[in-house]
């Protein structure tokens, strides 16, 4: 009874208070790999999400002048901790939405066991696995980073356009390699290309000559290596070059590393191409970079733009949904549908007015426009690179 | 697929990698025979040896072949130091304690390599080497050197064990340490000598691995399982058995891709190890211990 009375009183005060400070905070979860394998990247990512929250609070706060609060949780880049952190955020902290988790494995586990059943919207800034696309998520799982599926398909189309019709594919036997390879194969075969060899390999072996001989027996002269350039990808590239198994080599972002140039020499890599995501220059990116530099952050650090966008978009969606967590997902689509008044990073006051007036807004983020597709994914911008004496150089944009 | 292709792309790489496994397996088998435990830091000592050679190559500007004896010597001395610092205290305790200690040493040695040389892949010389054609068989100089060096080192070790006084002492201690002690063999000196030889062989395995492929902080650790498989396959305590085992494991790994999906290549050494322990735990040539 006493609790009820307190609640009733609070509601009364809340309704009547006009210029009074916020009566309750609106919490969003910031789940990241604070410990674990991406511990070096996570702090900057969380800082940039916090920048978005700070900007919201400085420009009038969220809803009826309430404060937006980020609750940091450690998903440790593994499924177990991802689930624990999401459970704590949803059930104990009572967050309205979540930015993160950071790694694909954590995202899949946290979404399946916690946030989808609870109906909480999550936006991951760095989970790239194609598996996330096919989650049965009732439209609550989004990402501001593009799926490796896009890269695999874009690479397939680009190769076909360049006249490469027959390739062999060697991929590292993990989530990264397999996701990319499957996407590449699907698109390449659909568009009329021929896959003359398709094989996984375990990393860190000394010799891949027999693997390469198997792949080469299909008769292709181009090898697509979906691996890491610091690891077994380098070994494969070296042994393929030395033994003349293939003439042309193509890699994805994992292979766009300095190690092959350093160890094999640029002169031997004239026939090597690698795809990688590229940032699109925009006003939005500049606005973010300036704001993030002002608070002491490094705007060129990896995944900071996607983290910032995820947090800012969730704030906009919460505002649009009137704080109703069940409506956040639908609102997230509305504030970035490609139609309406453009809103760029930091323009919170303007967005708030437009939302209050019932006008459509369209967020143009630091990392891109973020017009989500049916699966909550965003397309990415990629380019194909070649090796020159100075390092990697763009050959062509990839569509 | 022609016979030449099988030789070039399956047999030759198998023999080269098998020779490297053999060098490691000989060391493992010596530790097993004389000290009676499984030495899990073996792979990482090989890594250390390979990186010490890299140090010699970069600092002195010599070729990797000149750096090889330097690395062997340094690693031998370091091995003795590791034995004196970590294993000597545990000599009288159950052997499993030393095995666990060697796992700790493995982690320490690997961390040391990562602190000094970093975690990136390295090579002794930049660029690529295309093989020369010997009547259709494609071989590189370094591959021939690897196999010949392995044979020479193993032959020298065999002669030393069979002919020299200290070699005989080592064999005596392997047969029965207490009896050897009573007969006037200084066990501590034999242990030191064993570590000198084992450390040198470790470094040789690491240098040849780095010479033929790349230098990575994890390179030795990933070789540990095939090396143990080779030692057990050949019969623990038998030098010639370790060589035979190494070659069989190396060739089997490469040949496996003819019959199995390539992602199962890494499992070949496991399969051989399992099968051998089930069917003939004493190894192909009857081992002296186990």
């Amino acid at each position: 009874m006493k609790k009820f009375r307190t609640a009733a009183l609070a509601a009364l005060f809340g309704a009547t208070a006009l210029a009074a400070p916020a009566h309750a905070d609106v919490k969003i979860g910031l789940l990241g790999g604070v410990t674990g394998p991406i511990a070096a990247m996570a702090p900057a990512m969380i800082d940039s999400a916090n920048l978005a929250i700070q900007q919201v609070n400085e420009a009038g706060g969220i809803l009826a002048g309430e404060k937006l609060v980020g609750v940091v949780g450690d998903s440790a880049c593994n499924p177990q901790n991802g689930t624990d952190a999401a459970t704590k955020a949803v059930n104990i902290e009572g967050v309205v939405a979540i930015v993160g988790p950071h790694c694909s494995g954590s995202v899949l586990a946290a979404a399946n066991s916690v946030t989808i059943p609870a109906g909480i919207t999550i936006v991951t800034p760095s989970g790239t696995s194609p598996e996330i696309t096919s989650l049965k998520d009732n439209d609550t799982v989004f990402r501001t980073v593009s799926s490796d599926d896009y890269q695999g398909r874009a690479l397939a189309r680009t190769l076909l356009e360049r006249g490469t019709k027959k390739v062999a594919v060697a991929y590292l036997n993990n989530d990264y390699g397999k996701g990319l390879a499957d996407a590449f194969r699907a698109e390449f075969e659909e568009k009329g290309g021929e896959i003359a060899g398709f094989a996984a390999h375990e990393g860190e072996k000394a010799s891949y000559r027999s693997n390469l001989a198997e792949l080469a027996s299909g008769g292709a002269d181009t090898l697509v290596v979906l691996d890491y350039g610091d690891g077994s990808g380098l070994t494969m590239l070296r042994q393929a070059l030395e033994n003349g198994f293939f003439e042309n080599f193509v890699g994805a972002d994992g292979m766009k590393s300095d190690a092959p140039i350093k160890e094999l020499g640029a002169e031997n890599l004239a026939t090597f191409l690698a795809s990688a995501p590229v940032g699109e220059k925009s006003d939005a990116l500049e606005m973010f970079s300036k704001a993030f530099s002002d608070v002491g952050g490094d705007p060129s650090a990896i995944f900071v733009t996607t983290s910032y966008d995820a947090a800012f978009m969730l704030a906009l969606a919460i505002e649009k949904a009137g704080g109703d967590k069940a409506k956040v997902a639908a609102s997230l689509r509305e504030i970035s549908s490609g139609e309406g008044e453009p809103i760029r990073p930091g323009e919170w006051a303007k967005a708030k007015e437009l939302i209050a007036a019932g006008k459509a807004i369209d967020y143009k983020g630091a990392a891109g426009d973020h017009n989500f597709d049916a699966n909550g994914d965003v397309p990415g911008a990629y380019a194909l690179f070649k090796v020159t004496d100075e390092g990697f150089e763009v050959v062509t944009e990839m569509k | 697929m022609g016979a030449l292709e099988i030789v070039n792309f399956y047999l030759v790489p198998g023999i080269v990698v098998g020779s490297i496994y053999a060098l490691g397996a000989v060391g493992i088998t010596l530790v097993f025979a004389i000290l009676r435990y499984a030495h899990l830091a073996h792979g990482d000592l090989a890594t250390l040896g390979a990186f010490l050679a890299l140090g010699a190559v970069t600092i002195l500007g010599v070729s990797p072949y000149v750096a090889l004896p330097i690395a062997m010597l340094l690693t031998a001395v370091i091995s003795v130091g590791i034995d004196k610092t970590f294993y000597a205290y545990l000599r009288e305790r159950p052997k499993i304690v030393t095995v666990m200690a060697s796992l700790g040493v493995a982690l320490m040695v690997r961390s040391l390599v990562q602190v000094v040389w970093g975690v990136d892949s390295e090579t002794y010389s930049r660029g690529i080497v295309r093989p020369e054609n010997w009547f259709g068989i494609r071989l590189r100089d370094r591959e021939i050197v690897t196999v010949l060096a392995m044979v020479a080192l193993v032959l020298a070790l065999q002669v030393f064990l069979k002919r020299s006084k200290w070699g005989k002492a080592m064999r005596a201690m392997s047969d029965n340490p207490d009896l050897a002690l009573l007969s006037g063999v200084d066990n501590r000196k034999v242990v030191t000598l064993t570590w000198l030889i084992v450390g040198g062989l470790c470094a040789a395995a690491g240098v040849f691995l780095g010479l033929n492929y790349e230098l990575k902080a994890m390179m030795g650790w990933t070789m540990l399982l095939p090396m143990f498989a080779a030692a057990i396959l050949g019969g623990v305590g038998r030098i010639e058995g370790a060589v035979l085992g190494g070659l069989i494991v190396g060739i089997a790994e490469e040949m496996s891709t003819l019959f199995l999906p390539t992602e199962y290549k890494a499992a070949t050494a496991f399969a051989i190890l399992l099968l051998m322990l089930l069917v003939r735990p004493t190894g192909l040539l009857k081992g002296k211990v186990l």
Side-chain angles (χ1 to χ4, degrees):
Chain A
M1 193 63 205
K2 194 176 171 201
K3 256 190 193 157
F4 172 73
R5 219 164 33 198
T6 322
L9 268 175
L12 201 65
F13 274 114
T16 50
L18 291 172
H23 62 279
D25 295 335
V26 175
K27 289 180 178 173
I28 61 170
L30 305 177
L31 304 190
V34 180
T35 61
I38 66 153
M41 302 178 197
M45 294 166 70
I46 289 173
D47 285 351
S48 73
N50 271 324
L51 170 66
I53 292 169
Q54 182 194 331
Q55 287 176 337
V56 168
N57 291 332
E58 281 171 1
I62 199 162
L63 302 174
E66 287 140 273
K67 236 178 105 191
L68 187 62
V69 175
V71 183
V72 177
D74 181 15
S75 57
C77 213
N78 69 47
Q80 185 59 50
N81 290 62
T83 308
D84 291 351
T87 306
K88 180 163 179 264
V90 171
N91 295 336
I92 299 173
E93 300 284 356
V95 299
V96 184
I98 290 173
V99 177
H102 284 171
C103 300
S104 298
S106 309
V107 175
L108 291 166
N112 274 323
S113 53
V114 186
T115 63
I116 295 174
I120 297 287
T121 305
I122 66 173
V123 183
T124 175
S126 55
T128 59
S129 166
E131 292 281 313
I132 296 172
T133 303
S134 51
L135 271 177
K136 292 199 179 9
D137 57 4
N138 303 323
D139 207 24
T140 57
V141 178
F142 295 84
R143 50 183 159 186
T144 49
V145 66
S146 57
S147 162
D148 281 338
D149 192 51
Y150 284 100
Q151 184 175 194
R153 287 176 186 278
L155 186 60
R157 285 191 295 271
T158 311
L159 285 186
L160 286 169
E161 274 166 28
R162 293 171 62 85
T164 308
K165 303 282 182 215
K166 191 175 178 184
V167 298
V169 181
Y171 64 95
L172 183 62
N173 200 9
N174 73 357
D175 281 341
Y176 168 75
K178 191 162 178 3
L180 261 175
D182 287 343
F184 178 86
R185 171 155 80 170
E187 186 78 4
F188 200 74
E189 285 183 336
E190 192 184 304
K191 292 273 166 25
E194 188 193 337
I195 304 272
F198 190 79
H201 57 268
E202 291 298 324
E204 303 299 328
K205 293 298 288 178
S207 169
Y208 290 104
R209 266 187 276 181
S210 53
N211 304 46
L212 289 161
E214 284 295 315
L215 287 163
S217 63
D221 66 356
T222 301
L223 177 69
V224 178
V225 191
L226 304 172
D227 198 333
Y228 301 110
D230 298 314
S232 45
L234 172 62
T235 316
M236 279 215 136
L237 204 54
R238 170 197 300 280
Q239 293 179 358
L241 279 166
E242 287 182 342
N243 293 286
F245 286 119
F246 295 93
E247 281 166 28
N248 303 303
F249 302 90
V250 180
D253 51 353
M255 290 297 288
K256 189 181 165 280
S257 141
D258 289 336
I261 302 181
K262 203 176 104 214
E263 304 305 340
L264 305 178
E267 66 278 11
N268 292 314
L269 293 171
T271 57
F272 173 66
L273 297 169
S275 68
V278 283
E280 285 173 295
K281 277 216 170 73
S282 64
D283 297 349
L285 181 57
E286 276 169 34
M287 290 171 78
F288 162 76
S289 297
K290 185 175 178 310
F292 197 44
S293 304
D294 287 348
V295 294
D298 172 15
S300 63
I302 193 157
F303 295 132
V304 290
T305 53
T306 54
S307 300
Y308 173 88
D309 287 348
F312 201 80
M313 288 171 83
L314 276 177
L316 289 170
I318 293 167
E319 179 78 24
K320 179 98 180 168
D324 182 353
K325 58 180 86 167
K327 289 186 191 155
V328 172
S331 306
L332 190 61
R333 287 191 177 280
E334 286 171 27
I335 56 109
S336 190
S337 61
E339 284 161 23
E341 189 70 22
I343 297 294
R344 291 171 300 176
E347 295 183 328
W348 179 254
K350 178 181 167 192
K352 202 171 157 73
E353 269 173 36
L354 288 167
I355 290 172
K359 292 210 175 107
I361 57 167
D362 178 35
Y363 180 68
K364 302 280 185 203
D369 291 349
H370 300 310
N371 299 331
F372 298 109
D373 69 7
N375 297 312
D377 284 351
V378 292
Y382 295 94
L384 199 62
F385 293 80
K386 68 174 177 186
V387 177
T388 66
D389 291 338
E390 283 84 48
F392 285 98
E393 191 176 279
V394 176
V395 185
T396 173
E397 301 273 299
M398 287 171 35
K399 300 283 177 219
Chain B
M1 191 177 299
L4 271 182
E5 271 186 39
I6 295 210
V7 170
N8 279 335
F9 303 137
Y10 298 87
L11 194 60
V12 169
I15 291 173
V16 173
V17 90
S19 301
I20 296 165
Y21 288 161
L23 280 172
V26 169
I28 285 172
T29 227
L30 272 182
V31 178
F32 247 130
I34 295 168
L35 304 168
R36 301 275 149 84
Y37 56 81
H39 186 229
L40 299 181
H42 212 78
D44 290 286
L45 270 180
T47 311
L48 180 68
F51 276 90
L52 285 172
L54 180 70
V57 168
T58 41
I59 294 170
L60 307 176
V62 294
S63 93
Y65 299 117
V66 180
L68 174 67
I70 302 175
M72 285 175 72
L73 196 68
L74 285 173
T75 314
V77 173
I78 290 170
S79 305
V80 173
I82 288 174
D83 176 63
K84 293 255 186 285
T85 322
F86 298 105
Y87 305 149
Y89 294 107
L90 306 169
R91 200 90 72 211
E92 303 306 321
R93 309 276 298 277
K95 293 299 179 203
I96 188 70
V97 179
T98 317
V99 175
M100 290 301 120
S102 74
L103 185 62
V105 169
L107 295 173
M108 283 193 274
V109 171
R110 195 187 315 156
S111 306
L112 185 77
V113 168
Q114 286 172 338
V115 166
V116 178
W117 285 280
V119 293
D120 295 340
S121 299
E122 303 277 352
T123 39
Y124 290 121
S125 57
R126 242 179 80 120
I128 58 174
V129 184
R130 294 208 164 78
E132 282 170 51
N133 208 325
W134 302 69
F135 310 107
I137 297 175
R138 293 142 61 102
L139 292 172
R140 280 175 205 75
D141 293 348
R142 64 184 191 217
E143 290 171 344
I144 301 169
V145 172
T146 303
V147 177
L148 290 181
M150 186 273 287
V151 172
L153 283 170
V154 170
L155 280 180
L157 181 63
Q158 283 285 42
V159 170
F160 173 78
L161 287 178
K162 291 264 151 67
R163 300 288 153 98
S164 77
K165 182 181 145 208
W166 282 108
K168 285 176 187 161
M170 281 173 74
R171 286 194 294 144
M173 191 174 156
S174 166
D175 287 343
N176 189 331
D178 295 330
L179 200 57
L181 192 62
L182 286 175
S183 318
V185 173
D186 185 343
N187 280 11
R188 278 178 308 171
K189 276 190 188 156
V190 171
V191 170
T192 305
L193 185 63
T194 306
W195 278 113
L196 279 175
I197 295 172
V198 168
L201 288 172
C202 259
V207 172
F208 284 120
L209 186 63
L211 193 62
N212 282 285
Y213 309 106
E214 278 108 28
L215 293 132
K216 292 171 191 163
M218 291 293 288
M219 63 192 256
W221 181 249
T222 49
M223 302 290 276
L224 194 63
L225 186 87
M227 286 173 180
F228 266 96
I232 290 167
L233 178 64
V236 170
R238 300 290 294 258
I239 308 293
E240 63 277 29
V243 175
L244 188 66
L247 289 173
I248 291 177
V249 171
I251 294 169
E253 275 192 348
E254 293 297 310
M255 289 286 187
S256 72
T257 51
L258 285 170
F259 315 104
L260 292 173
T262 46
E263 59 260 49
Y264 293 107
K265 181 169 152 181
T268 318
F270 273 107
I272 293 174
L273 186 58
L274 251 176
L275 202 70
M276 235 19 233
L277 287 173
L278 275 174
V279 178
R280 197 182 156 95
T282 49
L284 289 177
L285 312 176
K286 217 162 168 306
K288 279 185 269 185
V289 268
L290 271 186

